[in-house]
């Protein structure tokens, strides 16, 4: 059965998606359209290119997340002065190794640019912090004077995964020649269910959302006691408020909630044991969901 899929952000927690996908694959579901933010864009991109759940599992299992930490060489020796590099480059890591890893996997399936995919197959969310706008790739590339069909899928995924201050922002130039800095799509929409929401119109086919958090997590009020808590609360609100009404609308019927709060989003030194645990959580949650899903 053909369905559409939306994958949330969540950094290295995305290993849990692998388990959920294996269950869906075994049950006979296949994806026609896909969308993702941040880590979710990795899985969405690989599925759109034609990778099966087993192939994704194999490549993610072989991949060492720590290789993505390609830190810029600093001219400064003292630790304090090294932070000047972060100040000017706006990120600890370049993201080049990650983009190459993604590009190599996509090319193995004959996919380089969005034009190599069937039309309207893949949507990736990024954030343009120079213009203060959410950007949907490849659709919105025309606003930058770029041909969407010729834009690299791997570059789009890298942009969506560029966690602020962790990875360097990726530049795009608009039609006026102005430099726009692109960062993690999760800054503005961490779970873009709205892409497939048609209001009162019935969708063309069933769709599933994969959210890397427990459903109850969405209902708990955060305790804010100091300025640090306030900043975290502001960032969280900025990231989640836009998606909240869609999550509420589809929570009971179209979202597989995967509770993975024990793992940090940016823990790129995740152990094999922790990876297996995430995969297992994804499997169990998908199995529970399919038992009651009426599509």
């Amino acid at each position: 059965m053909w369905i559409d899929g939306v994958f949330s952000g969540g950094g290295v927690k995305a290993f849990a998606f692998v388990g959920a996908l294996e269950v869906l694959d075994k049950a006979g579901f296949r994806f026609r359209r896909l969308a993702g933010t941040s880590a979710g864009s990795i899985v969405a991109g690989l599925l759109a290119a034609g990778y099966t759940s087993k192939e994704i599992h194999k490549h993610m299992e072989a991949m060492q997340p720590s290789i993505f930490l390609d830190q810029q060489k600093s001219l400064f020796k003292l630790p304090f002065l090294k932070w000047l590099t972060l100040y000017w480059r706006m990120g600890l890591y370049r993201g080049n190794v990650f983009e190459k890893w993604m590009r190599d996997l996509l090319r193995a399936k004959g996919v380089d640019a969005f034009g190599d995919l069937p039309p309207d197959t893949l949507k990736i969310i990024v954030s343009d912090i120079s213009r203060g706008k959410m950007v949907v790739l490849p659709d919105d590339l025309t606003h930058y004077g770029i041909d969407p069909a010729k834009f690299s899928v791997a570059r789009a995924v890298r942009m969506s995964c560029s966690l602020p201050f962790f990875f360097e922002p990726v530049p795009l130039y608009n039609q006026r020649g102005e430099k726009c800095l692109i960062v993690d799509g999760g800054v503005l929409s961490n779970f873009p269910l709205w892409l497939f929401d048609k209001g009162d119109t019935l969708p063309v086919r069933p769709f599933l959302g994969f959210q890397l958090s427990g459903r109850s997590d969405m209902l708990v009020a955060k305790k804010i006691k100091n300025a640090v808590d306030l900043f975290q609360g502001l960032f969280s609100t900025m990231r989640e408020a836009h998606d909240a009404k869609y999550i509420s609308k589809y929570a009971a019927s179209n979202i597989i909630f995967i509770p993975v709060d024990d793992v940090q989003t940016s823990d790129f030194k995740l152990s094999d044991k922790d990876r297996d645990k995430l995969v297992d959580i994804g499997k169990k949650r998908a199995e529970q969901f399919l038992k009651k899903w009426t599509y």
Side-chain angles (χ1 to χ4, degrees), residues 63-71 93-104 154 158 167:
M63 173 264 294
Q64 294 297 321
S66 59
I67 69 170
F68 299 156
L69 308 184
D70 51 345
Q71 196 164 16
Y93 305 100
R94 292 174 293 178
N96 293 341
V97 176
F98 166 67
E99 183 177 346
K100 182 181 183 303
W101 177 81
M102 191 71 190
R103 183 172 63 247
D104 290 344
R158 172 189 176 177
F167 289 111

Side-chain angles (χ1 to χ4, degrees), residues 171-234:
L172 273 184
Y173 293 86
N174 63 21
Q175 292 175 314
R176 292 191 296 272
E178 298 168 332
K179 183 179 180 180
C180 300
L181 294 180
I182 310 298
V183 300
D184 196 310
V187 170
L188 296 177
S189 180
N190 199 48
F191 192 28
L193 283 172
W194 47 272
L195 280 169
F196 294 153
D197 181 71
K198 300 300 180 183
D200 296 329
T201 305
L202 289 174
V204 177
R205 66 190 65 82
F207 77 89
L208 277 181
F210 299 79
Q211 168 75 312
L212 292 174
S213 70
R215 182 177 178 180
S216 60
D217 300 344
M218 314 296 295
L219 309 174
V220 178
K222 298 177 177 64
K223 294 181 179 180
I224 298 177
K225 300 179 180 179
N226 52 51
V228 174
D229 292 341
L230 177 62
F231 175 79
Q232 291 176 338
L234 287 170

